[in-house]
């Protein structure tokens, strides 16, 4: 039973392997390449810039390298310029890749660091070098919020960290947390798009139930028009004002009174695609279980996040029902 359980779990994980997902999304030949259904002629491109951020983005970068390696050295591809910068936790940095995969924060510290801010400034400069005849391939996965960050002045790194820590410790959902983080950042809520008029293709591995692309890594390539007021989140978890920095309160109060919210410049050539998610992993795990002689039950993702003990009780109650095979 232990071996079967491990095999089922591994099948689910393998189904959302970032390297395989990206490699399978790209096709190349002598004068063209395709990313999903988007086809590009080499002669129409000047430069391809690869950026990324998230805990799966190193593997995703290697998948892109796998897809392009067979043609990178061909004469037809020589004129095409390639630039890259992918932000990952320190232990995932890769030094022998064609891509620039850099560590920006310590393992297990899911908060932005000064190195993240410095690296984000470098990434923005890289994006600024692109134009309308260029392509930006953006590799995004869970954990990207803490690996791509630049606070909106006059807010500081400490303001961001204290706000994130307090909301997380207070039980705020990922949606509530991202509603606030998007409002105090120069790169979230689609504002990363404002630094270039290039064509953008974002390949996304989702870690959020339901795959709301404006929530995954705080939606840096998805212009977001929040229906939830970030002030309402602060008032829910930090009223009276005790733990969240006063500068954050003041900024959001000012924007709330002015009825303003972060808006990214419109670019019709922005395409966001979820290529891996929880549903894909669950289906693969169920298929493996079925092949081992089990009858799997796929429990729909729970819409509202809750206490893990309560969720476990719900699952155990389901398994104890008479109609569930033993």
């Amino acid at each position: 039973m232990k071996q079967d359980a491990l095999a089922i779990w591994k099948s689910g994980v393998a189904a959302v392997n970032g390297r395989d997902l990206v490699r399978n999304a790209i096709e190349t030949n002598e004068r063209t390449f395709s990313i999903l259904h988007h086809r590009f002629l080499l002669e129409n491109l000047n430069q391809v810039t690869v950026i990324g951020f998230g805990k799966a983005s190193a593997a995703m970068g290697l998948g892109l390298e796998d897809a392009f390696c067979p043609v990178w050295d061909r004469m037809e591809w020589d004129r095409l310029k390639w630039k890259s910068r992918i932000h990952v936790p320190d232990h995932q940095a890769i030094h022998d890749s064609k891509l620039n995969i850099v560590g920006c924060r310590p393992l297990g510290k899911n908060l932005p660091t000064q190195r993240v801010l410095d690296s984000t400034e470098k990434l923005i400069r890289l994006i600024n070098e692109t134009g309308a005849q260029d392509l930006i391939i953006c590799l995004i996965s869970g954990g990207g919020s803490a690996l791509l960050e630049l606070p909106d002045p006059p807010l500081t790194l400490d303001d961001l960290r204290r706000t994130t820590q307090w909301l997380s410790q207070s039980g705020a959902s990922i949606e509530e947390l991202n509603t606030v983080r998007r409002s105090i950042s120069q790169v979230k809520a689609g504002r990363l798009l404002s630094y270039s008029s290039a064509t953008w293709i974002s390949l996304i591995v989702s870690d959020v139930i339901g795959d709301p692309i404006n929530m995954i890594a705080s939606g840096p390539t998805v212009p977001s028009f929040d229906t939830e007021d970030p002030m309402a989140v602060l008032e829910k978890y930090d009223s009276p004002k005790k733990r969240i920095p006063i500068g954050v309160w003041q900024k959001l109060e000012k924007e709330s009174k002015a009825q303003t919210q972060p808006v990214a410049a419109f670019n019709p050539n922005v395409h966001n695609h979820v290529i891996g998610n929880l549903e894909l992993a669950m289906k693969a795990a169920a298929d493996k279980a079925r092949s081992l002689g089990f009858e799997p039950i796929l429990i729909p993702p729970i819409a509202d996040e809750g206490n893990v003990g309560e969720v476990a009780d719900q699952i155990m109650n389901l398994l104890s029902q008479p109609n569930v095979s033993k």
Side-chain angles (χ1 to χ4, degrees), residues 52-61 85-94 100-107 113 115-116 119 139 141 143-144 146-148:
F53 26 85
K55 289 180 281 190
S57 59
M60 296 171 77
R85 187 171 190 86
I86 297 175
H87 295 178
V88 299
D90 287 338
H91 71 293
Q92 293 182 351
I94 300 174
N100 185 22
I101 303 176
V102 297
C104 295
R105 66 161 177 79
L107 173 65
T113 63
R115 284 191 293 139
V116 168
S119 288
L139 308 174
S141 73
L147 287 161
L148 180 83

Side-chain angles (χ1 to χ4, degrees), residues 116-178:
V116 168
L117 271 58
D118 294 342
S119 288
T120 298
E121 289 182 336
K122 293 177 181 177
L123 186 143
I124 288 173
R125 287 198 292 270
L126 192 67
I127 296 173
N128 274 329
E129 295 172 358
T130 64
Q133 294 299 114
D134 299 328
L135 170 66
I136 297 174
I137 303 174
C138 189
L139 308 174
I140 302 174
S141 73
S145 288
L147 287 161
L148 180 83
E149 187 56 282
L150 201 60
D152 217 0
L155 300 181
T156 66
L157 172 62
D158 184 62
D159 293 331
L160 288 175
R161 290 175 62 92
R162 288 170 56 194
T163 299
T164 300
Q165 285 179 308
W166 177 248
L167 290 175
S168 298
Q169 293 169 1
S170 300
S173 69
I174 186 63
E175 289 81 4
E176 291 172 325
L177 181 59
N178 282 349

Side-chain angles (χ1 to χ4, degrees), residues 78-96:
D78 282 350
R79 59 169 294 277
L80 191 60
K81 300 174 185 175
W82 287 82
K83 295 184 178 180
S84 62
R85 187 171 190 86
I86 297 175
H87 295 178
V88 299
D90 287 338
H91 71 293
Q92 293 182 351
I94 300 174
H95 304 291
D96 58 352

Side-chain angles (χ1 to χ4, degrees), residues 15-27:
V16 288
N17 179 286
R19 186 169 188 164
D20 294 338
L21 291 171
V22 171
R23 180 174 55 224
N24 294 336
I26 299 172
E27 294 183 2

